[in-house]
């Protein structure tokens, strides 16, 4: 399977990227596809490069660090967007459909065991993507909590300055 995917890697990557773009609003998808400059379109560039790295790891055999980095590159973006977990990582499983459509004739010649083994690799990547998504969401939540604590602390300091509190008395929790 890996050799078959390698032969059509660029076309599979393009179709897979197109499928992922369909998860975005139409105007956003158009921009992410149209704008090729990585500085004008860092989100599209990061997602595309992450997908490219993930596909290369799938074909060449995974280097755990490179695979993690490729997935994280995409999931960080998806984790801060308002997607459900299944929507955020669903693009990984879209790869199965794209490969089956693109290699329909060739897959008939592949043994069932080879196809299942390849599908299992994609499933493992999907599970790893979910783990990374959960980590990213935890970080986002922690950042929000820390920001609320900082805002609250600044408000308390301002109130204390306004009422002339010098800090001689113990602070009371609000």
């Amino acid at each position: 399977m890996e050799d078959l995917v390698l032969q059509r890697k660029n076309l599979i990557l393009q179709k897979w990227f197109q499928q992922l773009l369909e998860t975005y609003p139409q105007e956003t998808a158009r921009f992410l596809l149209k704008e090729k400059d990585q500085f004008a379109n860092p989100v599209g560039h990061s997602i595309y490069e992450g997908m490219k790295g993930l596909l290369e790891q799938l074909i060449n055999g995974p280097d755990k660090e490179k695979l993690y980095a490729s997935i994280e590159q995409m999931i960080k973006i998806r984790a801060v967007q308002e997607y459900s977990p299944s929507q955020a990582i669903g693009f990984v499983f879209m790869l199965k459909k794209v490969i089956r459509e693109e290699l329909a004739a060739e897959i008939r010649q592949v043994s069932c065991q080879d196809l299942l083994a390849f599908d299992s690799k994609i499933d493992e990547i999907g599970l790893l993507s979910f783990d990374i998504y959960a980590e990213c969401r935890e970080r986002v939540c922690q950042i929000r909590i820390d920001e609320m604590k900082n805002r609250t602390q600044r408000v308390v300091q301002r109130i204390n300055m306004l009422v002339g509190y010098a800090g001689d008395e113990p602070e009371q929790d609000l």
Side-chain angles (χ1 to χ4, degrees), residues 72-99:
E72 186 180 42
Q73 186 172 357
M74 296 173 288
I75 296 297
K76 278 182 180 179
I77 294 166
R78 307 278 288 177
V80 297
Q81 296 168 335
E82 296 302 318
Y83 287 110
S84 68
S86 62
Q87 291 171 323
I89 67 164
F91 72 92
V92 173
F93 302 104
M94 289 176 189
L95 181 57
K96 288 181 185 182
K97 179 181 178 199
V98 171
I99 289 172

Short mmCIF file of all heavy atoms in Angstrom, two decimals, residues 72-99:
data_model
loop_
_atom_site.label_atom_id
_atom_site.label_comp_id
_atom_site.label_asym_id
_atom_site.label_seq_id
_atom_site.Cartn_x
_atom_site.Cartn_y
_atom_site.Cartn_z
N GLU A 72 0.85 17.70 15.47
CA GLU A 72 0.69 18.84 16.37
C GLU A 72 0.58 20.15 15.59
O GLU A 72 -0.20 21.04 15.96
CB GLU A 72 1.85 18.90 17.35
CG GLU A 72 1.68 19.98 18.40
CD GLU A 72 2.82 20.05 19.38
OE1 GLU A 72 3.99 19.92 18.94
OE2 GLU A 72 2.54 20.22 20.56
N GLN A 73 1.32 20.25 14.50
CA GLN A 73 1.30 21.45 13.67
C GLN A 73 -0.12 21.77 13.20
O GLN A 73 -0.52 22.92 13.17
CB GLN A 73 2.23 21.23 12.47
CG GLN A 73 2.44 22.42 11.58
CD GLN A 73 3.52 22.14 10.55
OE1 GLN A 73 4.15 21.10 10.53
NE2 GLN A 73 3.74 23.10 9.68
N MET A 74 -0.87 20.73 12.87
CA MET A 74 -2.25 20.94 12.39
C MET A 74 -3.24 21.05 13.55
O MET A 74 -4.14 21.88 13.52
CB MET A 74 -2.66 19.78 11.49
CG MET A 74 -1.85 19.67 10.23
SD MET A 74 -2.25 18.18 9.32
CE MET A 74 -1.50 16.94 10.34
N ILE A 75 -3.07 20.20 14.53
CA ILE A 75 -4.03 20.12 15.63
C ILE A 75 -4.02 21.38 16.48
O ILE A 75 -5.06 21.80 16.98
CB ILE A 75 -3.78 18.86 16.48
CG1 ILE A 75 -4.01 17.60 15.65
CG2 ILE A 75 -4.65 18.85 17.72
CD1 ILE A 75 -5.43 17.41 15.14
N LYS A 76 -2.87 22.01 16.64
CA LYS A 76 -2.83 23.28 17.39
C LYS A 76 -3.79 24.29 16.79
O LYS A 76 -4.49 25.00 17.52
CB LYS A 76 -1.41 23.87 17.36
CG LYS A 76 -0.46 23.29 18.34
CD LYS A 76 0.87 24.01 18.23
CE LYS A 76 1.88 23.50 19.19
NZ LYS A 76 3.18 24.20 19.04
N ILE A 77 -3.82 24.33 15.48
CA ILE A 77 -4.71 25.26 14.80
C ILE A 77 -6.16 24.85 15.00
O ILE A 77 -7.01 25.67 15.35
CB ILE A 77 -4.37 25.33 13.30
CG1 ILE A 77 -2.97 25.95 13.12
CG2 ILE A 77 -5.42 26.11 12.52
CD1 ILE A 77 -2.38 25.77 11.74
N ARG A 78 -6.43 23.58 14.81
CA ARG A 78 -7.81 23.10 14.91
C ARG A 78 -8.32 23.19 16.36
O ARG A 78 -9.52 23.37 16.57
CB ARG A 78 -7.91 21.66 14.41
CG ARG A 78 -7.36 21.41 13.02
CD ARG A 78 -8.23 21.74 11.89
NE ARG A 78 -9.33 20.81 11.75
CZ ARG A 78 -10.27 20.95 10.84
NH1 ARG A 78 -10.23 21.95 10.00
NH2 ARG A 78 -11.24 20.09 10.75
N ALA A 79 -7.43 23.09 17.34
CA ALA A 79 -7.84 23.10 18.75
C ALA A 79 -8.31 24.48 19.20
O ALA A 79 -9.12 24.58 20.12
CB ALA A 79 -6.69 22.62 19.64
N VAL A 80 -7.81 25.54 18.59
CA VAL A 80 -8.24 26.88 18.99
C VAL A 80 -9.44 27.35 18.19
O VAL A 80 -10.04 28.37 18.52
CB VAL A 80 -7.09 27.92 18.91
CG1 VAL A 80 -5.98 27.57 19.86
CG2 VAL A 80 -6.59 28.08 17.49
N GLN A 81 -9.78 26.63 17.15
CA GLN A 81 -10.97 26.94 16.39
C GLN A 81 -12.15 26.25 17.06
O GLN A 81 -11.99 25.34 17.84
CB GLN A 81 -10.80 26.49 14.93
CG GLN A 81 -9.67 27.25 14.24
CD GLN A 81 -9.27 26.67 12.91
OE1 GLN A 81 -9.45 25.48 12.65
NE2 GLN A 81 -8.72 27.51 12.05
N GLU A 82 -13.32 26.67 16.75
CA GLU A 82 -14.51 26.16 17.42
C GLU A 82 -15.02 24.87 16.78
O GLU A 82 -16.12 24.81 16.26
CB GLU A 82 -15.60 27.23 17.46
CG GLU A 82 -15.22 28.46 18.27
CD GLU A 82 -14.89 28.13 19.72
OE1 GLU A 82 -15.59 27.32 20.35
OE2 GLU A 82 -13.89 28.68 20.21
N TYR A 83 -14.20 23.86 16.83
CA TYR A 83 -14.57 22.54 16.32
C TYR A 83 -14.77 21.58 17.48
O TYR A 83 -14.08 21.68 18.49
CB TYR A 83 -13.48 21.97 15.41
CG TYR A 83 -13.38 22.63 14.07
CD1 TYR A 83 -12.29 23.44 13.75
CD2 TYR A 83 -14.34 22.44 13.09
CE1 TYR A 83 -12.18 24.04 12.51
CE2 TYR A 83 -14.25 23.05 11.86
CZ TYR A 83 -13.16 23.84 11.57
OH TYR A 83 -13.06 24.43 10.35
N SER A 84 -15.66 20.63 17.29
CA SER A 84 -15.78 19.54 18.25
C SER A 84 -14.55 18.66 18.06
O SER A 84 -13.88 18.74 17.03
CB SER A 84 -17.06 18.73 17.99
OG SER A 84 -16.94 18.03 16.76
N PRO A 85 -14.23 17.81 19.03
CA PRO A 85 -13.07 16.93 18.85
C PRO A 85 -13.16 16.10 17.57
O PRO A 85 -12.17 15.96 16.85
CB PRO A 85 -13.10 16.04 20.10
CG PRO A 85 -13.77 16.90 21.13
CD PRO A 85 -14.81 17.69 20.37
N SER A 86 -14.34 15.56 17.26
CA SER A 86 -14.45 14.73 16.06
C SER A 86 -14.25 15.56 14.79
O SER A 86 -13.64 15.09 13.83
CB SER A 86 -15.81 14.02 16.02
OG SER A 86 -16.87 14.95 15.96
N GLN A 87 -14.71 16.81 14.80
CA GLN A 87 -14.49 17.68 13.64
C GLN A 87 -13.03 18.08 13.53
O GLN A 87 -12.50 18.19 12.43
CB GLN A 87 -15.36 18.93 13.75
CG GLN A 87 -16.84 18.68 13.59
CD GLN A 87 -17.64 19.91 13.93
OE1 GLN A 87 -17.32 20.67 14.85
NE2 GLN A 87 -18.72 20.12 13.18
N ALA A 88 -12.39 18.30 14.66
CA ALA A 88 -11.00 18.75 14.65
C ALA A 88 -10.05 17.69 14.13
O ALA A 88 -9.08 18.01 13.43
CB ALA A 88 -10.58 19.17 16.07
N ILE A 89 -10.31 16.43 14.43
CA ILE A 89 -9.38 15.38 13.99
C ILE A 89 -9.94 14.53 12.86
O ILE A 89 -9.25 13.67 12.33
CB ILE A 89 -8.96 14.46 15.16
CG1 ILE A 89 -10.14 13.65 15.66
CG2 ILE A 89 -8.29 15.25 16.26
CD1 ILE A 89 -9.74 12.47 16.50
N GLY A 90 -11.16 14.79 12.44
CA GLY A 90 -11.79 13.99 11.40
C GLY A 90 -11.03 13.96 10.09
O GLY A 90 -11.14 12.99 9.33
N PHE A 91 -10.24 15.01 9.84
CA PHE A 91 -9.49 15.05 8.58
C PHE A 91 -8.53 13.87 8.45
O PHE A 91 -8.21 13.45 7.34
CB PHE A 91 -8.74 16.37 8.44
CG PHE A 91 -7.56 16.49 9.34
CD1 PHE A 91 -6.30 16.11 8.92
CD2 PHE A 91 -7.71 16.98 10.63
CE1 PHE A 91 -5.20 16.22 9.75
CE2 PHE A 91 -6.63 17.10 11.47
CZ PHE A 91 -5.37 16.71 11.04
N VAL A 92 -8.06 13.33 9.57
CA VAL A 92 -7.14 12.18 9.51
C VAL A 92 -7.85 11.00 8.84
O VAL A 92 -7.28 10.35 7.97
CB VAL A 92 -6.66 11.79 10.92
CG1 VAL A 92 -5.84 10.50 10.88
CG2 VAL A 92 -5.85 12.91 11.55
N PHE A 93 -9.08 10.77 9.22
CA PHE A 93 -9.83 9.64 8.68
C PHE A 93 -10.30 9.88 7.25
O PHE A 93 -10.59 8.93 6.53
CB PHE A 93 -10.98 9.28 9.61
CG PHE A 93 -10.50 8.94 11.00
CD1 PHE A 93 -10.64 9.85 12.03
CD2 PHE A 93 -9.86 7.74 11.25
CE1 PHE A 93 -10.16 9.56 13.31
CE2 PHE A 93 -9.38 7.44 12.52
CZ PHE A 93 -9.53 8.35 13.55
N MET A 94 -10.36 11.16 6.85
CA MET A 94 -10.68 11.48 5.46
C MET A 94 -9.64 10.90 4.51
O MET A 94 -9.94 10.64 3.34
CB MET A 94 -10.74 13.00 5.26
CG MET A 94 -11.89 13.69 5.88
SD MET A 94 -11.69 15.48 5.59
CE MET A 94 -12.98 16.11 6.62
N LEU A 95 -8.44 10.73 5.01
CA LEU A 95 -7.36 10.20 4.19
C LEU A 95 -7.71 8.82 3.63
O LEU A 95 -7.38 8.51 2.48
CB LEU A 95 -6.04 10.15 4.99
CG LEU A 95 -4.81 9.64 4.25
CD1 LEU A 95 -4.54 10.47 2.99
CD2 LEU A 95 -3.61 9.67 5.18
N LYS A 96 -8.38 8.01 4.41
CA LYS A 96 -8.78 6.68 3.93
C LYS A 96 -9.64 6.80 2.68
O LYS A 96 -9.43 6.10 1.69
CB LYS A 96 -9.57 5.92 5.00
CG LYS A 96 -8.76 5.43 6.16
CD LYS A 96 -9.68 4.67 7.10
CE LYS A 96 -8.99 4.23 8.35
NZ LYS A 96 -9.88 3.45 9.22
N LYS A 97 -10.62 7.69 2.73
CA LYS A 97 -11.54 7.87 1.60
C LYS A 97 -10.78 8.37 0.38
O LYS A 97 -10.98 7.87 -0.73
CB LYS A 97 -12.64 8.86 1.99
CG LYS A 97 -13.63 9.13 0.89
CD LYS A 97 -14.68 10.13 1.31
CE LYS A 97 -15.61 10.40 0.14
NZ LYS A 97 -16.34 11.63 0.29
N VAL A 98 -9.91 9.35 0.57
CA VAL A 98 -9.15 9.91 -0.54
C VAL A 98 -8.29 8.83 -1.19
O VAL A 98 -8.26 8.71 -2.42
CB VAL A 98 -8.29 11.11 -0.08
CG1 VAL A 98 -7.33 11.56 -1.16
CG2 VAL A 98 -9.18 12.26 0.38
N ILE A 99 -7.62 8.04 -0.38
CA ILE A 99 -6.75 6.97 -0.92
C ILE A 99 -7.60 5.94 -1.66
O ILE A 99 -7.22 5.50 -2.76
CB ILE A 99 -5.92 6.32 0.21
CG1 ILE A 99 -4.84 7.31 0.68
CG2 ILE A 99 -5.31 5.01 -0.25
CD1 ILE A 99 -4.08 6.88 1.91
#
